[in-house]
């Protein structure tokens, strides 16, 4: 490690870090949103089935 | 031994002693910091028998294998077995119920991983190469085993400092988070009430959840499969309802045994040559930055959502989206009660907090997938 902050920035690594920020946050949020939607649907379907069973 | 080596050895003894003190007197992650502190003393003793020593030290014709060095090579370096096995125990401990009954909370788990990426950028600006910067940034996952695994897979030489920072800051969540939350919220925002009307969660949903998460995470971030898969395997043991004994074993015996071995095994890399560097101080500082930005990221995301929501979210809930469970949820509940003694946010905060546990292992997998591609 050398103190790039004081001797100039490694632009290649910085660009890569920004790509990681963009792709990383997008992937994490994307996966979580997808899981949240599936969980919401699953909860709705299974709760409806439970209600129907109770009614019967 | 020259005097420099003696000074270094004494410094490492002092660091080991400090970790033991923090574990016992300050109750800071004692299950990890105490074995690490004692291990730091063991590995820094001259010609220590816990490290592999050559014939010139042993006086024998062959080298003598040291137990801590062997455990490190087998349990961490070769397969990351110890942190992964710990995930089975953690998964078996987590009740995802509050999250499943309010899936909106998943978003806060994602947003509160921002600190990881902010710390990576700052580490790069400070001159760390991308591989090391990513290993340092993952301290912001607020998840010890993930930090160990990522820094080890990326072969970062700063592995011991990263581990110490990850566990130390997790213990400091009750100090770091209130400061960061107050920095970006007003008193009025901290007083926002959130009624809690949980939907009932069926057993089928609870059982299918770990399977679904593993499959989706596996397709999007294949490198996260080991992390997410073991976490979710532990959770499946808990929720399936037919493996009570295995679930109990995973939550108690397995988690305790692995934690015990993990702490002392990590100390292998806490030799003076590895640990006494100026970079260790930078890493401790960057770890703090990561935790602060995690919290700020989660809170600001909640404030952004509030622009579009009819029923406003208390932005502090966003700050609970980190993996430090249950400390972070408790911090938010405590802060909410301080602002308004009748405002109970605990269950919302717990939902965001367990979402943070999934998001942090996902983040680890995403980083392990992206970094090798970019440094090719």
């Amino acid at each position: 490690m050398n103190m790039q902050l004081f001797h100039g920035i490694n632009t290649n690594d910085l660009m890569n870090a920004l790509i990681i920020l963009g792709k990383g946050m997008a992937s994490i949020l994307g996966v979580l949103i997808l899981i949240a939607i599936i969980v919401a649907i699953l909860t709705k379907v299974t709760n409806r089935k439970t209600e129907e069973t109770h009614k019967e | 031994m020259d005097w420099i080596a003696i000074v270094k050895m004494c410094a490492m003894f002092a660091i080991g002693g400090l970790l033991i003190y923090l574990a016992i007197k300050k109750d800071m992650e004692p299950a990890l910091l105490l074995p690490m502190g004692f291990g730091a003393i063991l590995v820094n003793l001259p010609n220590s028998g816990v490290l592999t020593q050559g014939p010139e030290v042993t006086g024998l014709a062959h080298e003598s294998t040291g137990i801590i060095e062997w455990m490190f090579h087998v349990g961490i370096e070769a397969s990351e077995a110890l942190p992964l096995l710990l995930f089975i125990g953690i998964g078996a401990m987590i009740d995802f119920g509050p999250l499943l009954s309010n899936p909106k909370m998943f978003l806060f788990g994602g947003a509160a991983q921002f600190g990881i990426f902010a710390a990576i950028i700052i580490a790069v600006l400070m001159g760390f190469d991308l591989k090391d910067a990513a290993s340092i940034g993952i301290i912001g996952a607020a998840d010890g085993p993930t930090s160990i695994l990522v820094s080890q897979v990326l072969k970062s030489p700063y592995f011991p400092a990263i581990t110490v920072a990850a566990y130390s800051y997790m213990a400091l969540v009750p100090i770091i988070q209130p400061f960061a939350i107050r920095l970006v919220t007003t008193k009025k925002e901290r007083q926002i009430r959130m009624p809690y009307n949980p939907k009932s969660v069926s057993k089928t949903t609870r059982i299918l959840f770990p399977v679904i998460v593993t499959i989706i995470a596996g397709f999007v971030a294949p490198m996260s499969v080991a992390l997410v898969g073991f976490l979710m395997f532990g959770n499946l043991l808990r929720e399936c309802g037919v493996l009570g004994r295995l679930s109990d074993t995973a939550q108690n015996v397995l988690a305790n045994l692995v934690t015990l071995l993990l702490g002392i095994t990590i100390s292998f890399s806490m030799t003076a040559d590895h640990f006494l560097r100026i970079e260790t101080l930078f890493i401790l500082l960057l770890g703090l930055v990561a935790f602060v930005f995690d919290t700020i990221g989660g809170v600001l995301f909640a404030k952004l959502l509030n622009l579009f929501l009819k029923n406003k979210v208390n932005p502090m809930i966003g700050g609970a989206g980190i993996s430090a469970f249950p400390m972070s949820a408790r911090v938010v509940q405590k802060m909410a009660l301080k602002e308004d003694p009748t405002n109970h946010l605990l269950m919302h905060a717990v939902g965001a907090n367990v979402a943070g546990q999934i998001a942090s292992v996902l983040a680890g997998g995403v980083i392990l997938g992206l970094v090798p591609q970019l440094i090719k």
Side-chain angles (χ1 to χ4, degrees):
Chain A
M1 180 206 163
N2 54 349
M3 292 301 292
Q4 297 280 351
L5 187 62
F6 307 111
H7 303 294
I9 295 164
N10 185 335
T11 46
N12 192 32
D13 275 353
L14 184 60
M15 277 308 294
N16 286 337
L18 290 169
I19 291 169
I20 292 174
L21 167 69
K23 282 191 177 177
M25 284 304 284
S27 307
I28 295 167
L29 282 170
V31 168
L32 292 176
I33 289 170
L34 186 57
I35 294 170
I37 292 169
I38 293 173
V39 166
I41 295 169
L42 201 59
T43 307
K44 212 168 191 175
V45 171
T46 51
N47 284 355
R48 192 184 295 162
K49 278 199 172 171
T50 314
E51 274 174 27
E52 281 169 10
T53 315
H54 277 297
K55 274 180 193 169
E56 281 169 16
Chain B
M1 268 180 102
D2 61 50
W3 68 270
I4 295 176
I6 293 171
V7 170
K8 281 182 167 181
M9 181 183 73
C10 292
M12 287 311 297
F13 287 172
I15 290 169
L18 176 69
L19 293 180
I20 294 171
Y21 169 81
L22 292 173
I24 297 171
K25 284 285 179 188
K26 303 289 176 189
D27 200 29
M28 282 175 65
E29 294 290 328
L32 254 300
L33 292 193
L34 190 140
M36 280 173 74
F38 192 70
I41 295 171
L42 287 180
V43 298
N44 283 289
L45 284 162
N47 304 328
S48 174
V50 297
L51 302 178
T52 299
Q53 301 292 352
E56 70 283 0
V57 173
T58 60
L60 302 166
H62 53 83
E63 64 175 27
S64 157
T65 305
I67 179 69
I68 289 186
E69 188 162 347
W70 177 81
M71 286 200 299
F72 183 84
H73 290 313
V74 174
I76 296 183
E77 200 177 46
S79 59
E80 288 83 36
L82 287 176
L84 286 174
L85 288 173
L86 190 53
F87 272 114
I88 299 179
I90 295 170
M93 287 180 209
I94 304 174
D95 175 9
F96 285 110
L99 176 64
L100 297 177
S101 66
N102 190 4
K104 196 166 60 187
M105 293 298 148
F106 273 104
L107 295 175
F108 300 122
Q113 306 308 313
F114 175 70
I116 296 175
F117 303 101
I120 292 176
I121 292 170
I122 297 171
V124 165
L125 288 174
M126 289 178 74
F128 286 96
D129 68 32
L130 191 65
K131 195 167 53 72
D132 293 329
S135 304
I136 294 165
I138 203 70
I139 296 170
D143 184 341
T146 303
S147 302
I148 293 168
L149 192 131
V150 170
S151 55
Q152 192 52 42
V153 172
L154 294 178
K155 301 280 177 234
S156 173
Y158 306 114
F159 166 71
I162 290 167
T163 311
V164 170
Y167 281 103
S168 309
Y169 289 129
M170 250 189 315
L172 291 176
V173 159
I175 297 167
I176 299 169
Q177 285 215 297
F179 158 76
I181 289 173
R182 279 200 196 96
L183 215 59
V184 286
T185 54
T186 62
K187 189 177 173 65
K188 200 178 163 193
E189 286 171 332
R190 294 196 293 273
Q191 286 174 329
I192 293 177
R193 286 171 170 271
M194 292 173 69
Y196 186 61
N197 305 311
K199 292 188 193 109
S200 65
V201 180
S202 66
K203 193 175 173 191
T204 313
T205 307
R206 284 177 180 268
I207 291 172
L208 287 177
F209 176 69
V211 181
I212 291 167
V213 171
T214 308
I215 292 172
I216 295 175
F219 276 112
V220 178
M223 285 303 286
S224 72
V225 169
L227 289 160
V228 178
F230 273 48
L231 182 78
M232 290 299 145
F233 171 57
N235 192 251
L236 187 59
L237 289 180
R238 174 196 175 95
E239 300 296 351
C240 70
V242 291
L243 293 172
R245 279 193 306 155
L246 292 194
S247 172
D248 281 348
T249 305
Q251 288 180 44
N252 300 298
V253 180
L254 178 69
N256 286 340
L257 190 61
V258 174
T259 303
L260 188 155
L261 294 176
L262 191 60
I264 202 142
T265 304
I266 291 164
S267 67
F268 160 69
S269 48
M270 287 185 74
T271 51
D273 291 340
H274 282 109
F275 201 81
L276 293 179
R277 304 169 170 187
I278 187 71
E279 291 92 327
T280 300
L281 287 178
F282 294 144
I283 290 166
L284 291 175
L285 183 72
L286 285 166
L288 181 63
V289 167
F291 267 66
V292 169
F293 275 102
D294 274 345
T295 310
I296 289 176
V299 172
L300 292 183
F301 185 75
K303 287 172 80 158
L304 179 72
L305 279 187
N306 276 348
L307 296 176
F308 309 100
L309 292 175
K310 200 169 79 180
N311 297 323
K312 303 291 181 207
V313 173
N314 187 314
M316 290 197 293
I317 295 295
I322 66 169
S323 179
F325 181 84
M327 281 97 81
S328 192
R330 280 192 198 146
V331 164
V332 168
Q333 162 76 348
K334 212 171 155 186
M335 286 184 75
L337 289 176
K338 202 174 168 189
E339 301 293 348
D340 174 358
T342 59
N343 191 9
H344 294 277
L345 296 178
L346 185 64
M347 292 315 287
H348 296 289
V350 167
N353 211 174
V354 291
Q357 297 207 300
I358 298 175
S360 68
V361 288
L362 259 177
V366 166
I367 285 175
L368 285 179
L370 286 173
V371 172
Q373 280 178 24
L374 291 168
I375 56 176
K376 254 179 202 170

